[in-house]
Amino acid sequence: MSDQLGEQGSRVSAWLRAAKAVTVLTGAGISTDSGIPDFRGPNGVWTRDPSAERLSTLQDYLADPLVRVESWRRRREHPAWTASPNAGHEALVRLEDAGIVRAIITQNIDGLHQRAGSRQVIEIHGTVWWAVCVSCDLRTPMREVLARVEAGDADPLCPHCGGIQKSATISFGQALDRQVLAAAERAAAGCDLMLAVGTSLQVHPAAGLCDVARRCGARLVVVNAQPTPYDEVASAVLPEPIGEVLPRLADAATRQEAG
C-alpha cells in the first residue's frame, strides 16, 4: 500500500497514524465522483455558466422574482437528490471510526458525508435538504417545498408568514451562522493535522480555517486536483484523484491502528 501511495502519501499516512486529532475540511471536489459538479473547476457550474452565480447571490434572489423562479426550478433538478456517497466519503468514515478524524468541516451542502456515516460534520455553508424563510426563520424539509413547486407554485412563499423562502444554504452576501463558524474554528484550532480535501481554498472564511490550524501548530495537507493558494505553506500536497488517494490513506492509517 505504501508503494501505491508514493513517498508523499506514505508520509501523510504516517502523520495520520501519529496525529492525536485530525480535522478535515472538504469542498466540492470530494463530491464530483458522486455526480455533483464543482463550481470553479474546469467543468464547474460557474465555469460553464457564469450567470448561474447570480442565482446564489442573496441580494439578487431577494430582489428579483425571476431569479427565485429559476432557482426553484434548478433546485428540483439538483443532483443531491439522487447522489450516493463515494469512496472518498467512505474513507473519511473509516478514519472517523478509527478515532483518527475528530471533525469534518464541509463547504458542501449535499449531505453526503452524513449519508456515508460520518457523525461529526460541521456544515459551514448550510444544507440543501432544508428550506428556510428569510423573514421568520421557519425551516421546512426541502422535499415539502419542492412538492409545491412541482404542483405549480413557481415561487413558494413561507406558509407561516408569507415571506420569501430559500434553500438553507449560505448565499453570496449572506453571513455564516456564528455558532456554526465558531464550532468550525474550534475544530481547526484543536487539531494537529488538517486535511483539506477537494477545496479550492479560495472562499473565506472557510479557507481561513487552514490559517487557524497552522497558527495552532497543526500540519496542513492539501488533497486537490487543481493548485490552491495554500499549496506553498502546506506540509504536503497530493494532487491525485480523491476517490483513489483517500481510500489508500485510510487503508494505510487504519491497518496500522489495528495492528
Side-chain angles (χ1 to χ4, degrees):
M1 184 60 66
S2 59
D3 291 340
Q4 289 179 296
L5 281 170
E7 182 178 350
Q8 278 268 78
S10 296
R11 185 158 57 244
V12 172
S13 69
W15 293 342
L16 287 170
R17 291 194 299 270
K20 295 180 180 178
V22 174
T23 292
V24 183
L25 172 64
T26 66
I30 196 172
S31 292
T32 55
D33 283 351
S34 296
I36 299 179
D38 62 12
F39 297 99
R40 292 178 175 80
N43 296 308
V45 174
W46 296 334
T47 305
R48 290 183 287 105
D49 180 11
S51 66
E53 192 166 344
R54 187 166 180 254
L55 303 179
S56 299
T57 301
L58 184 62
Q59 183 178 0
D60 291 333
Y61 187 88
L62 296 180
D64 191 342
L66 294 179
V67 169
R68 296 198 296 275
V69 169
E70 177 63 13
S71 295
W72 285 111
R73 186 189 70 79
R74 295 197 185 197
R75 286 184 190 120
R76 291 180 60 193
E77 302 169 353
H78 199 289
W81 312 137
T82 56
S84 297
N86 61 56
H89 298 104
E90 292 164 356
L92 294 181
V93 174
R94 286 193 282 134
L95 288 171
E96 183 179 346
D97 288 344
I100 296 172
V101 166
R102 299 291 181 85
I104 296 175
I105 306 167
T106 186
Q107 297 168 265
N108 297 340
I109 60 174
D110 52 41
L112 289 178
H113 284 300
Q114 294 92 325
R115 291 178 63 190
S118 290
R119 299 175 298 281
Q120 303 301 321
V121 182
I122 302 169
E123 295 176 307
I124 57 174
H125 289 166
T127 174
V128 74
W129 289 89
W130 287 82
V132 63
C133 174
V134 300
S135 297
C136 73
D137 293 328
L138 177 72
R139 289 172 67 90
T140 306
M142 181 59 78
R143 290 291 196 188
E144 293 183 13
V145 185
L146 290 181
R148 293 172 57 188
V149 177
E150 291 166 4
D153 190 349
D155 182 17
L157 300 179
C158 174
H160 177 68
C161 74
I164 294 172
Q165 294 188 106
K166 67 182 290 290
S167 172
T169 55
I170 302 297
S171 303
F172 288 115
Q174 182 178 7
L176 270 63
D177 183 288
R178 291 184 179 181
Q179 291 184 332
V180 174
L181 181 57
E185 290 173 341
R186 288 194 297 271
C191 71
D192 50 4
L193 190 153
M194 173 165 276
L195 194 62
V197 179
T199 170
S200 66
L201 296 177
Q202 295 180 28
V203 177
H204 287 264
L209 295 169
C210 295
D211 298 311
V212 173
R214 292 184 65 250
R215 281 198 301 268
C216 293
R219 287 188 173 102
L220 172 64
V221 175
V222 175
V223 183
N224 197 58
Q226 306 297 322
T228 81
Y230 284 82
D231 289 1
E232 292 185 0
V233 298
S235 298
V237 177
L238 302 175
E240 304 170 45
I242 294 168
E244 297 177 12
V245 70
L246 280 190
R248 291 172 182 169
L249 289 172
D251 285 347
T254 58
R255 185 178 63 246
Q256 191 71 20
E257 284 287 312

